[in-house]
Amino acid sequence: MRSDDVKSKREYKLRIPSQTENLELIRHFVGLVAKKVGFSEDDIGKIELATDEACTNVIKHAYEPGQDQTLDVLIKLDYQKFTVMVTDHGKGFQPDKIKIPNMKQYLAELRVGGLGIFLMRTLMDEVDYDIKPGVRNQVKMVKYFIDQKNSRAIKSENQMK
Amino acid sequence: MNNFQVIRNDDDKVTTLRIAGFLDAHTAPMLEREIEKLLEEGRYRILVDFAELGYISSAGLGVFMGYIEQVRENNGDIKMCRMNDKIYRVFDLLGFPTLYDIVTDEEMARAKFVQSSQGRVDRQDN
């Protein structure tokens, strides 16, 4: 990992038209910042893909077709983690109704779509939603600089006891 | 900006689609159109060569999910070869290797088509 000054409390923001043709540019943006703070090629790929999936959901579902709208991609850096926030002002959805697909069943049924949310949850350490339809909808995804998955697993085991 | 390409190559049995660039929600419709054309022409043995593909998102994976049922109902298949590690990891994460033949080179993929058709003949004989 590079020096702490790069990671200390910095923000990078991209406001961009909500169109699929901009997905490549969005991936490039998050990828460059992830590279700058020293993530491995593997982790950079995961952050790019998770961000693409979040933005694709916004572009496909947040606005009515033909609406000329924007979405925001905000990256926040602190000492521990890399946070990507994707924000739109469209119609939103109910996060408690999102079902994480059971992949075995999913593949057996040859279903189409819905893979994006599974990927986001698998690729990132944390995924949270803050939905206020028509006002502001936000997906927040976190990647820790040190892999926290093991310690999170221990925490969730303890919570279950 | 459109960094995706599909190059089609037919032989008497199998159609090879060589895909290159980035396969995301913007470019996936291009691949859909190519596969739809093949199905309209009754070409159900499709070999996808991933050697030049640099990126895939769920929109790209969804294209293969979208047609596999119709292809297999017509005694065909979509087989995949020459994926780089990055692309393979995405397929693997979603469990796709249980659903598709993903092999290292084109010859192996072609051999899989031969095996599948022999398998069908054997089953019909029984």
Side-chain angles (χ1 to χ4, degrees), chain B residues 75-87:
Chain B
N75 293 332
D77 202 6
I78 299 175
K79 300 196 188 290
M80 305 172 179
C81 69
R82 304 211 295 162
M83 255 179 219
N84 69 37
D85 289 348
K86 185 180 156 188
I87 304 277

Side-chain angles (χ1 to χ4, degrees), chain A residues 39-69:
Chain A
F39 277 112
S40 66
E41 283 298 316
D42 190 34
D43 279 340
I44 294 168
K46 288 177 180 176
I47 292 167
E48 286 178 352
L49 180 52
T51 308
D52 175 322
E53 298 295 346
C55 293
T56 297
N57 282 342
V58 170
I59 295 166
K60 295 274 181 188
H61 305 297
Y63 301 114
E64 298 300 329
Q67 272 187 305
D68 191 13
Q69 297 287 357

Side-chain angles (χ1 to χ4, degrees), chain A:
Chain A
M1 206 56 64
R2 301 255 188 88
S3 61
D4 281 345
D5 64 337
V6 178
K7 283 185 274 173
S8 60
K9 294 280 181 190
R10 292 201 180 195
E11 293 189 358
Y12 299 81
K13 188 169 181 175
L14 178 70
R15 172 163 290 179
I16 196 160
S18 176
Q19 293 162 352
T20 55
E21 68 183 48
N22 291 322
L23 287 168
E24 188 182 342
L25 202 153
I26 292 167
R27 292 195 299 270
H28 204 56
F29 167 66
V30 290
L32 282 175
V33 181
K35 189 173 183 181
K36 183 180 165 77
V37 295
F39 277 112
S40 66
E41 283 298 316
D42 190 34
D43 279 340
I44 294 168
K46 288 177 180 176
I47 292 167
E48 286 178 352
L49 180 52
T51 308
D52 175 322
E53 298 295 346
C55 293
T56 297
N57 282 342
V58 170
I59 295 166
K60 295 274 181 188
H61 305 297
Y63 301 114
E64 298 300 329
Q67 272 187 305
D68 191 13
Q69 297 287 357
T70 58
L71 64 84
D72 293 338
V73 182
L74 173 67
I75 299 168
K76 284 187 176 182
L77 302 173
D78 65 29
Y79 295 102
Q80 286 182 309
K81 60 188 188 289
F82 183 102
T83 305
V84 187
M85 298 162 110
V86 176
T87 308
D88 69 79
H89 304 278
K91 58 190 176 190
F93 58 94
Q94 289 175 278
D96 54 345
K97 294 220 168 138
I98 296 174
K99 287 184 182 154
I100 306 301
N102 170 328
M103 287 317 294
K104 206 170 169 185
Q105 191 184 347
Y106 188 96
L107 292 173
E109 293 170 1
L110 297 176
R111 288 169 57 188
V112 183
L115 299 174
I117 288 170
F118 175 85
L119 279 177
M120 285 157 61
R121 292 210 179 264
T122 308
L123 297 168
M124 301 298 278
D125 294 321
E126 291 171 12
V127 180
D128 290 305
Y129 299 91
D130 181 13
I131 306 299
K132 297 182 179 70
V135 183
R136 192 202 69 171
N137 309 303
Q138 193 169 69
V139 181
K140 186 171 93 174
M141 299 179 289
V142 173
K143 191 91 185 155
Y144 286 92
F145 292 119
I146 299 165
D147 194 326
Q148 301 285 301
K149 282 201 167 167
N150 291 335
S151 60
R152 283 201 302 129
I154 291 164
K155 205 190 291 174
S156 60
E157 266 175 30
N158 289 336
Q159 282 167 351
M160 286 172 72
K161 281 178 189 169

Side-chain angles (χ1 to χ4, degrees), chain B residues 3-119:
Chain B
N3 292 318
F4 180 71
Q5 254 197 324
V6 189
I7 297 168
R8 170 177 166 175
N9 196 323
D10 292 344
D11 67 18
D12 53 345
K13 293 200 174 105
V14 177
T15 292
T16 306
L17 297 178
R18 296 183 202 286
I19 56 177
F22 306 124
L23 184 51
D24 62 12
H26 188 58
T27 56
M30 280 178 69
L31 182 60
E32 275 175 358
R33 281 194 292 276
E34 281 298 326
I35 295 180
E36 274 165 17
K37 258 192 260 172
L38 294 182
L39 304 190
E40 279 164 19
E41 293 170 25
R43 297 191 66 91
Y44 296 105
R45 291 177 162 203
I46 304 167
L47 168 56
V48 185
D49 180 345
F50 283 75
E52 298 298 322
L53 194 76
Y55 176 81
I56 192 163
S57 72
S58 71
L61 294 157
V63 176
F64 300 110
M65 289 293 283
Y67 297 101
I68 191 68
E69 201 167 5
Q70 188 184 348
V71 164
R72 287 186 180 159
E73 277 169 5
N74 286 281
N75 293 332
D77 202 6
I78 299 175
K79 300 196 188 290
M80 305 172 179
C81 69
R82 304 211 295 162
M83 255 179 219
N84 69 37
D85 289 348
K86 185 180 156 188
I87 304 277
Y88 182 79
R89 274 199 295 272
V90 183
F91 274 84
D92 195 33
L93 210 56
L94 295 170
F96 275 48
T98 60
L99 194 64
Y100 297 92
D101 281 325
I102 304 174
V103 295
T104 49
D105 63 55
E106 203 173 317
E107 283 315 302
M108 282 173 76
R110 286 177 183 281
K112 290 266 182 192
F113 274 116
V114 175
Q115 281 169 16
S116 318
S117 63
Q118 282 172 346

